[in-house]
Amino acid sequence: MKPNNNLLEIPNINSKDAKLNKLIYVVDDSIFNKDNYSKENFEHLCVCSGGTTSSCAKNGFTTLDLRKNYSKIHLDKESNLVTIGGGVIMGDLINHLQKYNRSFPIGLSKLPGAGYILTGGVSPLSRAYGLAIDNIESIKGFLGNGTFISLKKNQINSKKQLIWEAIKGAAPFFSIITEIELKTIKSNPIKVIEGFVNLNELSEIIKLSEEFPENISLQWIYAQKIYIYIFAEIKNDLEDKKTEKYLMLLDKFPALEKNFYENFNKINFFPKELNLYELNTNYHSEVISLLGEDLKNNIPSFIKCLNEIMKSKPNNSCYVASQQLGYKTKKLNHGSSFFVHRKSTWKPWIYASWKKNNLQEKEVALNWIYQSWNKLKSFYPNIHLAQLHNHLNSHEEELTLAFGNRINELKTLKNIFDPHGILPPL
Ligand SMILES: Cc1cc2nc3c(=O)[nH]c(=O)nc-3n(C[C@H](O)[C@H](O)[C@H](O)COP(=O)(O)OP(=O)(O)OC[C@H]3O[C@@H](n4cnc5c(N)ncnc54)[C@H](O)[C@@H]3O)c2cc1C
């Protein structure tokens, strides 16, 4: 934290540059006082965990920074359940777990915090272990009206059932989660096939990937060039042999390399050569995440659409990427949640940035995001609300496409448990 000013030292540059009204570190009664927020300015409390989104700090708003006082990680070695504070980042979580040969299905970056878990959490391991929310055992925290809550899976009475379901996917709208208990998994070695490919090769690889078993997933990113990762968890020799049959199909792509990693922690996605702008302090950015099912026969038309999108990008920061889910994320045996688009097998995201303070560039970049989103809607009609965009015009539509037929239940919860709109608006 920088001394003597109200700035946050966090990965997201928009939020890092925000001139805060106040920075607070503890959840106590005073933050639930509605008089602290100006309704004329739609002011609400921003919550910061990993600080990777543009909504954890805003000019003139108060931020609750959970990183200082809600950062504990404790693994119970008998149950293999890990308890983390609401301000823990995913890199620290898997580093801690690795000491005990355990792991957790974190996403493609170690930077995100509890927001990753609470908004769903799509991991390269999700096809085998479900979404991050599917691995929540219990939570503690506060509702927007200041009421303390403590909920444990399989011990939830009917009155609390809806809160429990909504915590899994929509928590930021009505609660502040200070503690999460999670299932962990055994840490296994990972094979990764990675490298640059062209559009035709990407098309072929997407086709192959839609037949992958649950321990293999594809992630790709189209920035200046296209980079792919095929991620395969190896649990035992038998699985290794089965996996090799699929990985051999990739031998025909000469630029791809096969790498072996002792565990998930050792992998860093997105090589430097991609020159991504995410951490570039001169740029502000936004990202929107979509959801859809297998492309099947639509792969050629999707590739054509992707090509058009990339040809129209206004600057070199813009990219489209995608990660694969499916298998266990389709199953409902973890209980109902507010991640409603369970049929989804792809989560693409669209990213654009602009020189900060250049409003014209900002408008152009956001327009490109919206136009690209429109083009991709026929393939990926739904939204993964991994980033809250209540400061953007797309917020309403994103909410509808993220929560589908559960949006009214969420609004009801918000009205009851955050009646003064202290937390981010719906
Ligand atoms: C480089 C990168 C890679 C990513 N890869 C993936 C991926 O593979 N899979 C995936 O699913 N997502 C991925 N994401 C998206 C990321 O998981 C989400 O944007 C997530 O919401 C970020 O959480 P955070 O805690 O870091 O962010 P923050 O900005 O700190 O918080 C995001 C929002 O969540 C709310 N929030 C955070 N913590 C709490 C809490 N404890 N209680 C209540 N509300 C809270 C806040 O209101 C805030 O608005 C990635 C993001 C980045 C930057």
Side-chain angles (χ1 to χ4, degrees):
M1 189 72 44
K2 287 184 185 167
N4 301 329
N5 68 18
N6 277 352
L7 294 174
L8 274 170
E9 205 46 61
I10 45 170
N12 185 279
I13 311 298
N14 308 37
S15 293
K16 188 178 178 172
D17 287 337
K19 308 231 170 3
L20 306 178
N21 168 31
K22 211 159 102 194
L23 189 51
I24 50 178
Y25 299 98
V26 181
V27 190
D28 62 20
D29 288 349
S30 67
I31 65 174
F32 300 104
N33 181 346
K34 65 180 183 343
D35 300 332
N36 287 341
Y37 309 95
S38 142
K39 289 301 145 200
E40 293 81 60
N41 299 327
F42 304 102
E43 211 185 308
H44 56 82
L45 180 71
C46 297
V47 177
C48 174
S49 180
T52 61
T53 74
S54 57
S55 65
C56 65
K58 290 179 181 172
N59 286 337
F61 282 45
T62 297
T63 286
L64 167 67
D65 184 357
L66 295 169
R67 294 174 302 164
K68 197 165 151 192
N69 290 315
Y70 305 93
S71 59
K72 289 213 176 85
I73 307 176
H74 173 75
L75 176 74
D76 180 317
K77 287 169 215 102
E78 297 244 308
S79 63
N80 280 325
L81 297 178
V82 68
T83 305
I84 65 168
V88 165
I89 65 165
M90 295 303 102
D92 290 345
L93 170 61
I94 62 164
N95 281 335
H96 182 86
L97 293 178
Q98 191 53 47
K99 293 185 211 153
Y100 308 96
N101 205 26
R102 306 294 297 173
S103 194
F104 184 77
I106 70 158
L108 299 171
S109 164
K110 292 169 183 144
L111 296 177
Y116 165 78
I117 297 170
L118 299 171
T119 57
V122 180
S123 166
L125 289 165
S126 283
R127 287 159 65 81
Y129 299 102
L131 300 168
I133 48 169
D134 299 333
N135 293 285
I136 298 181
E137 284 291 306
S138 70
I139 60 98
K140 287 186 182 155
F142 296 84
L143 298 169
N145 58 10
T147 309
F148 174 76
I149 43 160
S150 172
L151 302 174
K152 193 164 180 58
K153 192 175 171 179
N154 303 330
Q155 293 178 20
I156 312 239
N157 66 33
S158 55
K159 277 195 198 152
K160 302 274 169 63
Q161 182 60 26
L162 189 59
I163 301 180
W164 174 248
E165 291 177 17
I167 294 272
K168 297 187 288 171
F173 293 107
F174 68 97
S175 64
I176 299 166
I177 303 301
T178 51
E179 196 178 291
I180 313 175
E181 187 186 42
L182 299 161
K183 263 191 238 154
T184 62
I185 58 177
K186 185 175 170 293
S187 171
N188 286 312
I190 312 283
K191 279 184 182 169
V192 176
I193 310 246
E194 61 182 287
F196 289 100
V197 296
N198 62 35
L199 254 188
N200 288 336
E201 290 169 328
L202 178 66
S203 169
E204 277 189 68
I205 291 167
I206 291 175
K207 187 156 192 240
L208 291 174
S209 71
E210 292 192 344
E211 304 298 326
F212 282 163
E214 67 170 34
N215 68 317
I216 311 183
S217 62
L218 167 68
Q219 10 282 311
W220 57 260
I221 174 162
Y222 190 171
Q224 314 272 38
K225 295 199 264 174
I226 307 168
Y227 200 87
I228 67 141
Y229 292 91
I230 290 158
F231 178 106
E233 188 201 18
I234 310 299
K235 283 191 191 146
N236 50 47
D237 287 350
L238 187 70
E239 189 145 84
D240 194 15
K241 279 199 192 108
K242 206 173 103 193
T243 302
E244 269 310 310
K245 271 203 322 206
Y246 287 93
L247 298 188
M248 264 163 52
L249 302 172
L250 298 152
D251 287 348
K252 66 184 218 188
F253 302 102
L256 297 184
E257 260 182 29
K258 195 181 282 181
N259 292 314
F260 182 82
Y261 297 92
E262 269 167 60
N263 54 59
F264 196 169
N265 304 37
K266 305 262 179 202
I267 306 174
N268 283 316
F269 290 94
F270 311 126
K272 291 214 169 52
E273 297 95 297
L274 284 174
N275 195 17
L276 300 182
Y277 281 57
E278 254 100 348
L279 300 176
N280 186 324
T281 51
N282 297 320
Y283 284 77
H284 284 179
S285 61
E286 290 293 354
V287 56
I288 181 162
S289 305
L290 318 182
L291 286 170
E293 295 180 43
D294 275 357
L295 291 164
K296 294 188 178 133
N297 295 333
N298 290 325
I299 296 175
S301 45
F302 165 70
I303 293 288
K304 193 165 161 255
C305 172
L306 183 62
N307 195 21
E308 279 166 19
I309 287 173
M310 295 312 287
K311 276 191 178 150
S312 67
K313 65 181 188 173
N315 65 50
N316 280 337
S317 76
C318 302
Y319 72 78
V320 179
S322 188
Q323 60 187 141
Q324 191 175 16
L325 52 166
Y327 275 96
K328 291 275 161 62
T329 63
K330 286 184 164 184
K331 302 248 153 61
L332 271 178
N333 55 355
H334 335 273
S336 193
S337 73
F338 272 50
F339 187 98
V340 300
H341 301 297
R342 285 283 173 177
K343 284 185 178 162
S344 310
T345 51
W346 290 108
K347 176 202 155 174
W349 69 100
I350 312 165
Y351 171 96
S353 74
W354 56 90
K355 262 192 235 87
K356 60 190 189 193
N357 305 325
N358 187 329
L359 293 180
Q360 203 189 338
E361 266 195 31
K362 176 179 179 180
E363 194 184 331
V364 171
L366 285 177
N367 275 341
W368 178 79
I369 291 191
Y370 293 142
Q371 281 160 11
S372 308
W373 175 23
N374 255 329
K375 289 181 184 149
L376 289 173
K377 267 183 192 157
S378 63
F379 307 99
Y380 307 108
N382 297 313
I383 287 286
H384 174 209
L385 209 71
Q387 294 83 11
L388 309 189
H389 288 151
N390 45 288
H391 51 284
L392 297 180
N393 294 337
S394 52
H395 184 55
E396 288 271 315
E397 187 178 359
E398 285 187 64
L399 287 173
T400 314
L401 295 177
F403 298 113
N405 58 14
R406 302 209 81 170
I407 185 76
N408 286 336
E409 286 172 286
L410 185 56
K411 286 188 172 159
T412 304
L413 280 176
K414 175 96 180 157
N415 284 339
I416 300 172
F417 298 118
D418 184 25
H420 302 302
I422 280 159
L423 292 166
L426 266 176

